[in-house]
Amino acid sequence: KAMQSEIQGLRELLREQMKDTLSERKPVEAMLYKRLLRMGLSEHFAARIIESIGLADDVDFSDAWEKAITQIRSSVLATGSDVVDQGGIVALMGPTGVGKTTTIGKLAARYVLKYGPDSLALVTTDCYRVAAYEQLRTFGRILGVPVRVVDEIHSLDSTLKSLKSKALVLIDTAGLSVQDPNMKEQLALLEEASVRIRKYLVLSATSQQQVLQSTYDTYRRHGLNGCIVTKLDEAISAGEVVSLIADNRLPLAYIASGQKIPDDLRSGDVGLLVSRALDLLEQQESHQNVER
């Protein structure tokens, strides 16, 4: 343990020395790297962006910054299809508090406004929180669509078979923490279904980078079709979620920014996500300048 600690210390020292060397040798590149980190990007993603744009030694910082932002936008994938139009069986996955149920409500409202309520159904596998079912049932009552609960009596398979006439079925899964022992049970429900279920990971823009990565690592083995970024209006930095979905090539399906249903939901708008990250960076830098 003592040797590992000493080696880690030497690594950190070497890393700092290399940063100093880079600042002297390539000042624009060093400035760009630091600003990308302030934006909230991971070290790995920031370094990849700089490497990919291949800066000349005499490049101006503003030109370098524009190239970096263009590269960031092109690094974030979008699903290219709207769940509402595509139909099928769709499950939203993710930890508690990220906004899965509210997003289900937004998607359901969007579908009803476009196609009517007759070919839509809502399903919840969350038997752990009464409030989650009540919220979904409220959405169902307002929109005029059926809501089904998966429990010990009603399996997911039998529930989905009873809804086979529906064009779109939205499944709200239980919001459990990564450490919760019931997590495996929830994931197994979707894995064992005899019908194809498209799975979207819901990520909160307010989450820290480590939390986002831990969430992705938990769900990635279960065949994710894309992600939905929520709470963008509440975030103080959005580079963290940009890094996560770009680094892992996870397509962006929707952005939720606010509580209005169904207005505050945008389909795969990469430009909006990156622009919001830039706005938050500028707000942060402006605030720091005022304090000085």
Side-chain angles (χ1 to χ4, degrees):
K1 286 182 180 178
M3 287 177 65
Q4 287 178 337
S5 177
E6 189 170 344
I7 290 170
Q8 184 61 35
L10 289 170
R11 282 177 178 165
E12 293 298 327
L13 179 62
L14 184 58
R15 187 178 290 124
E16 290 303 315
Q17 288 177 344
M18 288 176 69
K19 286 179 182 177
D20 293 340
T21 302
L22 178 64
S23 298
E24 294 173 5
R25 192 163 44 88
K26 296 184 177 180
V28 171
E29 189 171 312
M31 288 167 59
L32 184 62
Y33 180 73
K34 287 180 180 178
R35 196 170 192 221
L36 290 173
L37 294 185
R38 285 202 304 274
M39 186 179 172
L41 302 189
S42 67
E43 292 184 358
H44 174 265
F45 186 47
R48 184 155 68 88
I49 290 298
I50 292 173
E51 184 181 356
S52 62
I53 59 179
L55 297 175
D57 292 337
D58 59 345
V59 67
D60 180 74
F61 179 78
S62 60
D63 291 339
W65 180 249
E66 287 301 319
K67 288 181 180 179
I69 298 307
T70 300
Q71 186 62 34
I72 290 170
R73 286 195 180 98
S74 65
S75 298
V76 181
L77 302 178
T79 55
S81 60
D82 194 318
V83 166
V84 166
D85 296 326
Q86 195 173 357
I89 302 171
V90 174
L92 300 196
M93 308 168 71
T96 183
V98 294
K100 294 188 300 298
T101 307
T102 302
T103 304
I104 289 265
K106 291 177 180 179
L107 288 170
R110 176 178 284 198
Y111 185 90
V112 169
L113 286 171
K114 197 167 186 179
Y115 299 107
D118 295 340
S119 54
L120 172 67
L122 308 180
V123 174
T124 179
T125 64
D126 192 346
C127 306
Y128 310 100
R129 296 178 304 135
V130 175
Y133 169 63
E134 288 301 325
Q135 186 182 358
L136 201 65
R137 191 169 70 169
T138 299
F139 287 141
R141 187 169 60 249
I142 293 170
L143 297 171
V145 300
V147 178
R148 302 283 185 266
V149 182
V150 174
D151 52 25
E152 294 84 358
I153 302 170
H154 307 92
S155 70
L156 180 60
D157 247 6
S158 63
T159 300
L160 293 177
K161 284 176 183 175
S162 71
L163 299 170
K164 63 182 179 181
S165 63
K166 303 296 182 181
L168 177 64
V169 177
L170 298 173
I171 303 174
D172 187 15
T173 60
L176 302 173
S177 68
V178 174
Q179 292 81 20
D180 195 306
N182 294 307
M183 173 67 78
K184 288 183 179 179
E185 182 184 332
Q186 279 290 298
L187 294 174
L189 270 178
L190 301 177
E191 290 294 314
E192 294 165 6
S194 60
V195 294
R196 180 174 180 260
I197 300 174
R198 299 203 313 281
K199 307 178 188 79
Y200 292 87
L201 181 61
V202 182
L203 300 166
S204 171
T206 61
S207 298
Q208 296 174 330
Q209 202 166 71
Q210 288 180 322
V211 174
L212 290 168
Q213 189 63 53
S214 175
T215 299
Y216 174 73
D217 290 341
T218 300
Y219 290 96
R220 66 178 176 176
R221 295 183 296 274
H222 302 278
L224 296 174
N225 295 90
C227 70
I228 298 172
V229 174
T230 61
K231 303 187 179 183
L232 191 59
D233 57 312
E234 301 175 24
I236 59 172
S237 172
E240 291 82 1
V241 75
V242 170
S243 283
L244 187 282
I245 62 180
D247 267 337
N248 296 288
R249 309 293 287 171
L250 184 62
L252 177 66
Y254 293 98
I255 294 172
S257 182
Q259 297 297 316
K260 292 180 182 177
I261 296 175
D263 300 335
D264 295 329
L265 190 70
R266 299 276 289 272
S267 298
D269 196 335
V270 173
L272 174 64
L273 181 60
V274 176
S275 293
R276 181 59 178 161
L278 289 170
D279 290 343
L280 291 170
L281 170 64
E282 289 173 4
Q283 288 175 25
Q284 179 192 125
E285 290 176 337
S286 175
H287 182 68
Q288 289 173 346
N289 290 334
V290 169
E291 286 184 339
R292 286 171 190 166

